[in-house]
Amino acid sequence: MQFTAEHDLFRKTVREVVEREINPYVEEWESAGIFPAHDLFPKLAEVGLLGLEYDPAYGGQGADHSFTVIYGEEVGRAGCGGVPMAISVQTDMATPSLHRFGTPELKERYLAPAIRGEMVAAIAVTEPDAGSDVAAIRTRAERDGDEWIINGTKLYITNGTQADWLCLLARTSAEGGYRGMSQIVVPTDSPGFSVSRKLDKLGNRSSDTAELSFVDMRVPVANTIGEIGRGFQQQMAQFQNERMIAAYMSVGGMQAAVERTIDYVKQRQVFGKPLADNQHVQFTLAELIAEIDVARAYNRTCAEAYLAGQDTTRYATIAKLMTGRLNRKVADTCLQFHGGVGYMEETWTARYFRDSRLLSIGGGADEVMLRVLAQLEGIGGS
Ligand SMILES: Cc1cc2nc3c(=O)[nH]c(=O)nc-3n(C[C@H](O)[C@H](O)[C@H](O)COP(=O)(O)OP(=O)(O)OC[C@H]3O[C@@H](n4cnc5c(N)ncnc54)[C@H](O)[C@@H]3O)c2cc1C
């Protein structure tokens, strides 16, 4: 992937925004268990971050995917995992389907304000009995004239307590399995919607995660994204964007973590010399750098395929799987080389260690990535 001076300038801008608008507030937001999305998002929108690849007719930048790679790598360097995840929900998890398949009216009403940072979006797929197996969802939207009547529960929804609208996946017909699902834009100010619980998490604590309840909630059928009955397929496509941005952010986070650890081992004296003078420490960090380089290169190959209009399912699956695993290894090693202080909450390594665990679960667990890959490779027959 060839980057130009324009890309370099964009990278610098994003890094500055992260350092100015996110990093100084991380401690406060982590303690609060939430960050103020309605304050932060308009600031990100000012530099175009919330609609990089989206149509300028709705306020997007009309840029290509190479800018999304840079955005991911740079926002991933932030001092926590929670806020980058929440931002990527807005940009690459809850809105791609609406941009791709939504009617102009729906985009005007919900996408444009999301790109301006005025509305916060969430993606609502997972349920208490349906996570890895998306086809097992039970939330129903039954048609009554021009309206859907929605009943059900969604679980672990990022931005869930402060979202203005959800990209909801619901069953819209009695057909089981992969058929009969639709994606619907659900405004959270409609009667029948409630946040049942704000969830307490191991990591990504600055991001709010919620259980949501829908009881006889009425939403116009006109809020359906794309084709009625094609929701599962549309969501599977949207998952590819989710997995790609997660992999890009992960590489940015790992790179920053190793850089910070190198600084630390150079100055920390143990046995009368800098920790970095031990060959074991040098080789371990050098090996991580090599692995991060390979992951970055793989991500960019994936991005090039996406830019070329190819189906990136295989690339996105492998990128998410491998960066998720590498993230855990990097976090563990960085903490180890910091010793006791690395285990303290006052040191960034503790948070990074906790936050790093999510990538192997959210957006499809490692085993789900392996399942997709095994299917693509024709392993297992059926
Ligand atoms: C912090 C956080 C934020 C999230 N945000 C959102 C969100 O915004 N929107 C949303 O819709 N969802 C969200 N999720 C949900 C997330 O996508 C699911 O947790 C994930 O897909 C796994 O589903 P599950 O938790 O139901 O696990 P299960 O489906 O119960 O799976 C449990 C474990 O079983 C293993 N497994 C699963 N399938 C197989 C298999 N075929 N073979 C072997 N092993 C298998 C995996 O190790 C998996 O971790 C979030 C989750 C977390 C933790």
Side-chain angles (χ1 to χ4, degrees):
M1 175 163 277
Q2 292 296 320
F3 291 129
T4 63
E6 197 188 348
H7 289 95
D8 295 343
L9 182 64
F10 177 65
R11 187 181 289 282
K12 187 167 170 283
T13 304
V14 181
R15 192 170 291 196
E16 283 168 5
V17 168
V18 168
E19 280 166 11
R20 188 178 66 240
E21 305 294 352
I22 299 176
N23 286 348
Y25 309 101
V26 162
E27 299 297 337
E28 181 190 333
W29 296 344
E30 287 276 308
S31 305
I34 191 167
F35 77 105
H38 288 92
D39 291 343
L40 177 65
F41 284 3
K43 292 173 186 159
L44 304 180
E46 270 175 33
V47 292
L49 269 195
L50 302 185
L52 280 178
E53 291 180 57
Y54 291 160
D55 187 345
Y58 302 100
Q61 300 301 303
D64 71 34
H65 193 67
S66 59
F67 287 88
T68 300
V69 175
I70 293 175
Y71 144 61
E73 289 177 359
E74 288 304 320
V75 174
R77 291 178 66 95
C80 63
V83 178
M85 175 178 72
I87 299 168
S88 65
V89 163
Q90 179 92 354
T91 57
D92 288 76
M93 303 184 194
T95 50
S97 275
L98 177 57
H99 184 257
R100 230 171 251 149
F101 306 112
T103 59
E105 297 73 32
L106 210 52
K107 290 194 227 187
E108 197 54 62
R109 189 139 183 222
Y110 295 102
L111 181 65
I115 292 173
R116 291 195 297 270
E118 292 162 9
M119 276 189 165
V120 175
I123 170 72
V125 174
T126 307
E127 299 182 1
D129 295 315
S132 303
D133 183 6
V134 173
I137 64 161
R138 288 196 207 146
T139 296
R140 304 197 69 79
E142 282 175 68
R143 194 162 180 163
D144 180 26
D146 291 340
E147 291 182 317
W148 294 120
I149 304 176
I150 301 172
N151 283 285
T153 303
K154 293 288 177 182
L155 192 60
Y156 313 133
I157 306 306
T158 304
N159 296 343
T161 70
Q162 50 184 338
D164 298 292
W165 61 267
L166 317 170
C167 173
L168 178 87
L169 187 67
R171 292 212 160 273
T172 45
S173 90
E175 284 179 277
Y178 302 109
R179 292 188 292 272
M181 289 178 238
S182 303
Q183 287 182 309
I184 305 168
V185 172
V186 170
T188 56
D189 60 1
S190 312
F193 172 82
S194 63
V195 175
S196 344
R197 279 193 298 156
K198 179 174 178 291
L199 300 157
D200 193 9
K201 305 191 294 297
L202 169 71
N204 280 21
R205 299 183 70 87
S206 46
S207 133
D208 56 305
T209 309
E211 179 177 301
L212 309 177
S213 156
F214 309 84
V215 179
D216 292 334
M217 182 189 192
R218 285 178 174 269
V219 174
V221 170
N223 278 24
T224 310
I225 301 172
E227 232 180 283
I228 293 175
R230 293 282 301 167
F232 182 83
Q233 292 76 3
Q234 292 177 191
Q235 181 53 41
M236 288 302 122
Q238 188 161 249
F239 271 141
Q240 304 317 318
N241 294 87
E242 171 165 350
R243 290 166 191 166
M244 287 190 287
I245 194 70
Y248 304 160
M249 286 185 160
S250 170
V251 159
M254 290 190 285
Q255 181 68 37
V258 170
E259 285 168 11
R260 293 178 86 170
T261 303
I262 291 170
D263 287 346
Y264 180 77
V265 297
K266 277 182 176 169
Q267 61 85 21
R268 175 68 178 168
Q269 301 285 319
V270 181
F271 292 109
K273 61 179 184 183
L275 207 45
D277 283 4
N278 294 284
Q279 202 176 52
H280 169 73
V281 172
Q282 294 166 17
F283 281 15
T284 304
L285 290 171
E287 187 144 352
L288 289 182
I289 288 170
E291 290 181 271
I292 295 165
D293 258 32
V294 171
R296 187 188 295 106
Y298 191 84
N299 280 352
R300 291 180 184 181
T301 303
C302 169
E304 277 166 4
Y306 187 80
L307 265 165
Q310 295 168 19
D311 177 358
T312 52
T313 305
R314 190 171 186 280
Y315 282 121
T317 302
I318 294 175
K320 157 98 168 49
L321 174 71
M322 300 313 281
T323 53
R325 289 183 166 169
L326 186 54
N327 215 335
R328 289 154 69 182
K329 186 169 152 186
V330 168
D332 191 50
T333 307
C334 292
L335 193 152
Q336 183 70 19
F337 285 171
H338 277 74
V341 77
Y343 198 73
M344 298 296 123
E345 276 298 325
E346 68 197 48
T347 309
W348 63 271
T349 45
R351 179 182 307 133
Y352 183 54
F353 185 76
R354 289 190 271 107
D355 291 357
S356 69
R357 198 60 187 79
L358 181 62
L359 189 54
S360 286
I361 296 173
D366 283 0
E367 292 78 3
V368 171
M369 296 304 100
L370 290 167
R371 185 171 183 268
V372 171
L373 195 54
Q375 281 169 347
L376 289 173
E377 295 297 311
I379 308 169
S382 63

